[in-house]
């Protein structure tokens, strides 16, 4: 297993480089970069007569050909912006410099927030961590037992009505369900049981430890329900189908014939085989919940997390923030994928990754 882990760790390097290179190349052809964003701000904030115009017509035309909307602006100012953002260097040099910095987890400064990228990510991390980690914990702790129960009671009234409920939940878009919960339970047209925005109340700092815990949980209820409504359905049906496939196999019939009770057959033999498929989907579920699954919910409930930060950075072309989030997400995904393989070998020792190619 040690050799397999080493191979996987070494393969993370070309994977990270490939992802970053592909994104970097695409970004070079995307219009509306950070310099164009600043030019647009200048254009929108000043009249034509107020524009800076200290260069010659030829110089302005050259700059205008390079950057959309730059006609009439001081070429020296454009050059200063290029130097400020590092665009005065060739693209290969910029990419290699970025890789070297990222290897040391130096993500530089945000173009538009005048702060380090690390401080921005750390500031938004508690919101995404709260949503992502609690969502994963609740989803797995509810969906796995429910999926097992549905597999055991396949075709029963319990199986039918729970399938109907989770199918409806899966069909409802997260943000629509969030709005419905707000209308019903957050001071809309009916009850005012839950807070509408944020992760904590305004007087959170003055509360006791128990009061802070209750306030924190109370603020999480509606966002977690909104994000998890579709996740419950996916995980529950995946668990049920995995167990149904295993229950029909010959080794289960043999175990029952030997006199094992249903619980012993289910958890002593079926569980570890059926859970392999569930565990294999953990990396994707983790990243979706932690980074991308909460964007609209953050908007609806005014939660300033990583999803909202990444979205605003993409719109604003704040490339250091975009690339840093991509780098961290990819790196976490690779480590979580490796962790899933290790858990799979722990559940079923018969799995031997070292005997096959990575």
């Amino acid at each position: 297993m040690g050799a397999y882990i080493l191979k996987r760790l070494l393969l993370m390097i070309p994977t990270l480089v490939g992802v970053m290179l592909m994104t970097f190349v695409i970004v070079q052809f995307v219009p509306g970069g950070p310099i164009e964003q600043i030019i647009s701000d200048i254009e929108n904030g000043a009249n034509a007569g107020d524009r800076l115009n200290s260069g010659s017509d030829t110089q302005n035309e050259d700059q205008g050909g390079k950057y959309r909307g730059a006609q009439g602006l001081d070429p020296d100012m454009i050059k200063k912006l290029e130097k400020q953002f590092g665009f005065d260097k060739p693209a290969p040099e910029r990419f290699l410099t970025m890789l070297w910095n990222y290897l040391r987890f130096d993500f530089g400064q945000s173009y538009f927030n005048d702060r380090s990228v690390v401080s921005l990510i750390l500031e938004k991390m508690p919101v995404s961590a709260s949503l992502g980690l609690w969502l994963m914990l609740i989803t797995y702790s509810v969906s796995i037992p429910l999926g097992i129960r549905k597999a055991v009671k396949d075709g029963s009234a319990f199986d039918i009505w729970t399938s109907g409920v989770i199918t409806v939940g899966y069909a409802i878009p997260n943000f629509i369900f969030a709005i419905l919960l707000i209308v019903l339970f957050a001071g809309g047209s009916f009850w005012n049981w839950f807070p509408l925005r944020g992760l904590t109340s305004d007087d959170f700092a003055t509360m006791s430890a128990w009061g802070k815990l209750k306030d924190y949980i109370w603020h999480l209820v509606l966002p977690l329900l909104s994000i998890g409504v579709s996740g419950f359905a996916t995980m529950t049906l995946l668990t049920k189908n995995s167990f149904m496939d295993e229950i029909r196999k010959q080794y289960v019939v043999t175990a029952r014939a030997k006199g094992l009770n249903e619980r012993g057959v289910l958890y002593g033999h079926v569980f570890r085989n059926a859970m392999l498929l569930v565990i294999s989907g953990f990396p994707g579920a983790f990243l979706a919940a932690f980074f991308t699954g909460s964007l609209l919910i953050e908007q609806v409930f005014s939660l300033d997390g990583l999803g909202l930060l990444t979205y605003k950075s993409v719109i604003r072309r704040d490339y250091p923030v975009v690339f840093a989030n991509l780098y961290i997400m990819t790196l976490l995904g690779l480590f979580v994928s490796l962790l899933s393989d290790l858990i799979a070998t722990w559940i079923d020792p018969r799995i031997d990754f070292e005997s096959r190619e990575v």
Side-chain angles (χ1 to χ4, degrees):
M1 181 56 68
Y4 172 75
I5 294 175
L6 180 60
K7 288 179 183 178
R8 289 290 298 271
L9 292 175
L10 292 176
L11 281 173
M12 290 181 184
I13 299 174
T15 303
L16 273 173
V17 173
V19 170
M20 300 303 293
L21 176 60
M22 182 175 61
T23 308
F24 185 85
V25 171
I26 293 174
V27 162
Q28 305 310 305
F29 299 98
V30 175
I35 294 180
E36 286 91 337
Q37 294 276 342
I38 293 179
I39 291 173
S40 177
D41 291 342
I42 295 174
E43 294 288 324
N44 293 331
N47 295 325
D50 297 329
R51 295 176 185 167
L52 298 174
N53 187 14
S54 61
S56 66
D57 293 340
T58 303
Q59 289 177 312
N60 290 337
E61 288 176 2
D62 292 340
Q63 294 293 346
K66 188 174 182 180
Y67 297 108
R68 184 180 302 175
Q71 291 87 351
L73 295 180
D74 185 356
D76 291 334
M77 184 190 72
I78 301 297
K79 291 180 180 179
K80 289 179 181 179
L81 288 175
E82 288 180 335
K83 185 176 182 180
Q84 176 183 343
F85 294 134
F87 294 141
D88 58 328
K89 301 175 182 177
E93 182 180 347
R94 285 188 280 123
F95 177 73
L96 293 175
T97 301
M98 182 184 71
L99 283 183
W100 170 243
N101 290 334
Y102 280 19
L103 287 175
R104 297 176 291 136
F105 289 92
D106 178 10
F107 300 115
Q109 296 285 122
S110 168
Y111 286 162
F112 300 103
N113 289 286
D114 196 26
R115 293 176 55 187
S116 70
V117 174
V118 171
S119 67
L120 278 174
I121 293 176
L122 291 178
E123 179 184 308
K124 313 300 181 182
M125 184 69 75
V127 173
S128 295
S130 295
L131 294 176
L133 296 179
W134 280 112
L135 178 63
M136 291 297 299
L137 177 63
I138 295 172
T139 299
Y140 273 77
S141 61
V142 172
S143 297
I144 291 177
L146 179 59
I148 295 173
R149 183 71 174 173
K150 286 173 63 63
V152 173
K153 299 290 185 180
D154 182 49
S156 66
F158 172 81
D159 180 43
I160 293 173
W161 75 260
T162 52
S163 294
V165 171
I166 63 176
T167 300
V168 171
Y170 182 78
I172 300 176
N174 290 344
F175 71 96
I176 296 295
F177 189 60
I179 294 173
L180 176 62
L181 291 177
I182 289 174
V183 171
L184 291 177
F185 303 114
S189 303
F190 296 89
W191 302 280
N192 188 15
W193 292 351
F194 296 96
L196 179 59
R197 62 182 64 240
L199 277 183
T200 57
S201 301
D202 294 335
D203 58 342
F204 182 79
T206 63
M207 296 180 181
S208 63
W210 176 243
K212 289 180 178 179
L213 179 62
K214 291 194 298 182
D215 183 72
Y216 171 70
I217 294 175
W218 216 236
H219 280 77
L220 279 176
V221 171
L222 295 188
L224 287 179
L225 284 176
S226 304
I227 302 174
V229 63
S230 60
F232 282 121
T234 303
M235 186 58 62
T236 299
L237 294 179
L238 178 62
T239 304
K240 178 192 173 182
N241 293 335
S242 298
F243 273 79
M244 289 293 296
D245 289 341
E246 294 297 324
I247 288 173
R248 298 190 181 102
K249 292 183 178 179
Q250 184 61 41
Y251 75 90
V252 176
V253 177
T254 303
R256 286 171 176 164
K258 289 180 178 179
L260 287 178
N261 58 35
E262 195 64 25
R263 185 177 183 84
V265 171
L266 188 63
Y267 290 100
H269 296 274
V270 175
F271 183 82
R272 69 178 185 178
N273 294 325
M275 285 303 296
L276 294 177
L277 183 59
V278 177
I279 291 174
S280 65
F282 179 77
F286 175 84
L287 293 178
F290 200 84
F291 286 98
T292 61
S294 59
L295 172 58
L296 291 175
I297 303 304
E298 288 179 13
Q299 289 272 26
V300 172
F301 290 100
S302 300
L303 301 173
D304 195 6
L306 285 177
L308 191 58
L309 172 66
T310 304
Y311 171 76
K312 289 181 177 179
S313 300
V314 170
I315 297 299
R316 189 63 172 162
R317 303 296 194 271
D318 198 347
Y319 292 143
V321 179
V322 174
F323 280 114
N325 274 288
L326 176 65
Y327 181 84
I328 294 173
M329 182 178 66
T330 305
L331 189 62
L332 275 177
L334 292 171
F335 275 109
V336 171
S337 178
L338 175 59
L339 180 62
S340 296
D341 288 346
L342 298 179
I343 294 176
T345 60
W346 174 67
I347 292 177
D348 189 352
R350 296 171 298 176
I351 298 176
D352 184 11
F353 289 108
E354 290 190 71
S355 61
R356 61 182 182 179
E357 295 294 330
V358 178

